[in-house]
Amino acid sequence: MARRAARKTAGRNAKRAAGGKSRVKVKAKAKTKIKAVAKPAAAPRASRPASADQKPPANPVLIEVTRGEMVESRHRLAVAVVDAAGKLVESWGDIERPIYGRSAIKPFQALPLLETGAADAFKLGEPEIALACASHNGEPQHTDRVHDWLARIGCGIGDLECGAHLPYHEPTMLQLVANGGDITAIYNNCSGKHTGFLTTARHEGEPTKGYVRYEHPVQQRVTRAMSEMTGVDLTRSPRGIDGCGIPVLGLPLRAMAHGLARMADPRKLSADRANACKRIVTAIMAWPMLLGGTGRFGSSTMATFKNRFVLKGGAEGVYAAILPSLGLGVAIKADDGAGRAAEAAMAQTLRRLKLVSAAEAKSFADLLMPPVLNRAHLEVGRIRSTGEGRF
């Protein structure tokens, strides 16, 4: 009896030492947990309505940057391709989230310059109309024309409210500094657009001072034209201030592409607006270097593939295209604001829409899929499509 009792006691002690009881408890809990997790699996997530605060899925990684044997950086983007009726032709990512169109929407902002009759009253030609849509380098081809245009409407550089910065074109900038020249608002990349605003104010007999303010008649006309083109009431949209001081208004990428498509195919617009759209598109395609300048993706691509499309970039990774031959508009936004990603995505979109052939893409690979250069100007990588989502 004593031996049997001793064996029982030893067994109990061994179980305690090995954690026998706690192990049994853990197993029981694990079974319960598995059971609880398994229950919702019977109802797929897709069938549940999304909660109000649920975040949309992340935009796809469409562009990558290589260096040597590695992919060094990746860019997420949203792309909308829309026709003049508002039909979505193709898209990638979240195209309903509001974005600021920045300078990519300058063709919309130039509409009142023509619709008010101001352009004709001051005898503006295609170069001035292109400059009204420009984000230029500040080269002499830009600033000389803006200077003459200001004089024509009885204004001067001091009337520009866009602020001043050095020319983007490096040789022009170095020459300006070497000569001890003044850094004035005429070198601002938006000086052509602002001269267009001053022109409409002069034509309508409105004060030129404060023309950048949202409440000014100049900006009210711009807001109205953009609302009508995109189908969005921009008076209720998020609002900020652009780099050049004018209001910037939030709108979905899809709506922006729709407005661009209506510029590409304006047949359903009023006669005056259709005429304004055609004149803007024609002017930009005729004078692509005035829209940006030497070495700029949009200007170089339009000059290379003559009369096929209008390309217009904006700050924070926004890019727009007007495609008259297809009656389509394209709007692109890079999540991280990288201009290189938006440009590469636009090049891929043009290829996908067959506006650039495979042979042409190969011949102009350095333009459409630009190399990454080191300080010795040697190629060390590429900016290219990832191929994600058939892009």
Side-chain angles (χ1 to χ4, degrees):
M1 292 289 290
R3 285 180 185 174
R4 197 176 298 137
R7 279 199 299 270
K8 285 182 180 178
T9 302
R12 281 197 299 270
N13 290 340
K15 282 181 181 178
R16 286 195 190 102
K21 286 187 178 178
S22 60
R23 196 159 55 239
V24 171
K25 286 181 181 177
V26 170
K27 282 182 180 176
K29 283 181 182 176
K31 284 180 182 176
T32 307
K33 190 174 182 181
I34 290 167
K35 225 174 178 182
V37 171
K39 280 183 182 176
R45 283 187 182 182
S47 66
R48 298 179 189 167
S51 61
D53 58 350
Q54 186 177 339
K55 288 183 180 179
N59 287 329
V61 177
L62 298 179
I63 300 298
E64 63 188 15
V65 183
T66 68
R67 184 177 295 270
E69 297 177 351
M70 276 178 46
V71 172
E72 186 173 35
S73 299
R74 295 174 176 83
H75 299 286
R76 294 185 179 276
L77 299 99
V79 181
V81 183
V82 180
D83 70 13
K87 180 185 175 184
L88 190 64
V89 176
E90 286 200 276
S91 70
W92 291 264
D94 185 358
I95 60 171
E96 302 298 345
R97 181 170 54 202
I99 62 131
Y100 288 134
R102 305 299 296 268
S103 289
I105 57 172
K106 282 181 180 175
F108 295 150
Q109 294 169 336
L111 286 168
L113 175 64
L114 284 85
E115 292 177 342
T116 59
D120 292 333
F122 287 100
K123 297 181 171 50
L124 303 185
E126 287 181 347
E128 289 85 7
I129 294 172
L131 278 169
C133 304
S135 299
H136 63 71
N137 276 346
E139 299 170 59
Q141 62 175 324
H142 307 117
T143 55
D144 289 350
R145 284 185 169 92
V146 172
H147 189 275
D148 292 344
W149 182 3
L150 284 167
R152 193 184 307 182
I153 63 173
C155 289
I157 295 173
D159 293 301
L160 294 171
E161 297 181 357
C162 51
H165 61 67
L166 283 164
Y168 290 161
H169 184 239
E170 190 170 305
T172 302
M173 180 266 288
L174 292 173
Q175 186 175 14
L176 178 68
V177 173
N179 294 341
D182 293 329
I183 303 169
T184 70
I186 205 162
Y187 295 107
N188 188 300
N189 72 102
C190 297
S191 65
K193 176 180 73 174
H194 281 248
T195 303
F197 291 154
L198 286 168
T199 303
T200 59
R202 282 288 199 212
H203 179 66
E204 296 296 308
E206 297 158 355
T208 55
K209 189 173 177 58
Y211 69 86
V212 297
R213 294 200 306 268
Y214 177 76
E215 298 79 14
H216 193 282
V218 164
Q219 298 306 328
Q220 286 296 297
R221 280 191 291 271
V222 168
T223 301
R224 187 161 53 249
M226 286 177 56
S227 295
E228 292 166 357
M229 289 297 289
T230 62
V232 176
D233 181 2
L234 295 176
T235 62
R236 305 175 60 139
S237 292
R239 190 193 316 166
I241 302 296
D242 214 327
C244 66
I246 69 164
V248 60
L249 309 168
L251 75 163
L253 204 64
R254 178 174 183 162
M256 176 176 159
H258 184 200
L260 294 164
R262 298 177 84 191
M263 291 198 85
D265 179 8
R267 289 174 296 175
K268 296 291 180 67
L269 303 178
S270 68
D272 286 347
R273 177 146 297 167
N275 181 56
C277 289
K278 288 175 186 174
R279 289 178 66 182
I280 289 169
V281 169
T282 299
I284 293 173
M285 289 199 294
W287 296 86
M289 298 312 291
L290 292 185
L291 203 68
T294 306
R296 299 283 287 278
F297 168 78
S299 292
S300 299
T301 307
M302 284 190 288
T304 300
F305 304 102
K306 291 181 171 48
N307 299 318
R308 295 192 198 180
F309 36 69
V310 165
L311 302 180
K312 184 69 192 75
E316 296 300 326
V318 183
Y319 230 94
I322 299 169
L323 313 178
S325 64
L326 301 179
L328 300 177
V330 181
I332 294 173
K333 167 67 175 155
D335 280 2
D336 60 1
R340 68 182 183 183
E343 291 172 357
M346 182 58 76
Q348 292 300 320
T349 303
L350 296 175
R351 286 189 61 187
R352 185 167 177 79
L353 295 172
K354 296 184 170 41
L355 286 165
V356 174
S357 69
E360 288 172 327
K362 189 174 181 180
S363 299
F364 299 102
D366 285 357
L367 176 62
L368 302 173
M369 190 175 67
V372 177
L373 305 177
N374 67 6
R375 292 298 182 187
H377 297 282
L378 299 174
E379 182 177 330
V380 295
R382 283 275 167 177
I383 305 170
R384 67 188 189 187
S385 166
T386 62
E388 184 172 331
R390 310 177 318 282
F391 187 71

